[in-house]
Amino acid sequence: MKPLARAIAWGGLLAGTGDLVFALGYYGVKLKVFQNVAAGLIGREAAYAGGAATFALGVGLHYAIALTWAALFCLAGLRLPGLLRQAGVAGAAFGLVVYLGMNCVVLPLSALHTRAWPLRLDVAVLAAHALLFGLPIALAARRCLLGAPARG
């Protein structure tokens, strides 16, 4: 596998899994947690009525979103190698950018039509985005694209 594809795959899978584990731990192990993700595509009523199938759809969409964000970071890292050299700081900052992007752009444009403002600032959720989402993407990108050990 080429380094860019490997970086995207590892970053997206690690970030998606970290965020999935956080979400189930923080919000509870319930179908509704990832049905909410599916609701962004098919609407809340259809997602909640779909049971395990829409939970699975939500998990699939969750990983697709994580892979997309990983691809964005990796492509940026190829143009701005400082992001890869400073993966710890860049990854944590990227996690916060993802939080803002999801809450201020993606969710308002989704079938949920959530309001972007006022933005809910939950310290645990922000920390999870920085440490469990952005950081693994950046470390995987550095490891695969620069060949450096994956240390913060």
Side-chain angles (χ1 to χ4, degrees), residues 72-91 138-139 141-143 145-148:
L72 289 171
F73 183 89
C74 290
L75 292 171
L78 289 174
R79 288 198 166 271
L80 303 166
L83 294 174
L84 302 175
R85 287 192 297 274
Q86 299 297 322
V89 172
L139 294 177
R142 179 173 73 183
R143 170 76 123 187
L145 298 175
L146 292 183

Side-chain angles (χ1 to χ4, degrees), residues 3-23:
L4 178 60
R6 189 170 42 250
I8 292 167
W10 276 110
L13 292 174
L14 290 170
T17 301
D19 192 47
L20 180 141
V21 170
F22 171 78

Side-chain angles (χ1 to χ4, degrees), residues 102-149:
M102 291 302 296
N103 285 283
C104 296
V105 178
V106 175
L107 290 174
L109 293 174
S110 76
L112 293 173
H113 305 294
T114 58
R115 290 182 0 175
W117 299 104
L119 191 60
R120 183 171 173 249
L121 297 178
D122 181 322
V123 174
V125 173
L126 290 170
H129 273 81
L131 301 176
L132 300 177
F133 198 88
L135 186 59
I137 289 173
L139 294 177
R142 179 173 73 183
R143 170 76 123 187
C144 296
L145 298 175
L146 292 183

Side-chain angles (χ1 to χ4, degrees), residues 54-70:
T54 52
F55 175 86
L57 174 62
V59 170
L61 291 170
H62 172 76
Y63 277 102
I65 292 166
L67 288 164
T68 301
W69 283 109

Side-chain angles (χ1 to χ4, degrees), residues 17-42:
T17 301
D19 192 47
L20 180 141
V21 170
F22 171 78
L24 292 175
Y26 192 70
Y27 299 110
V29 180
K30 306 175 219 168
L31 288 179
K32 191 174 184 180
V33 172
F34 284 94
Q35 285 174 327
N36 281 325
V37 178
L41 180 65
I42 63 175

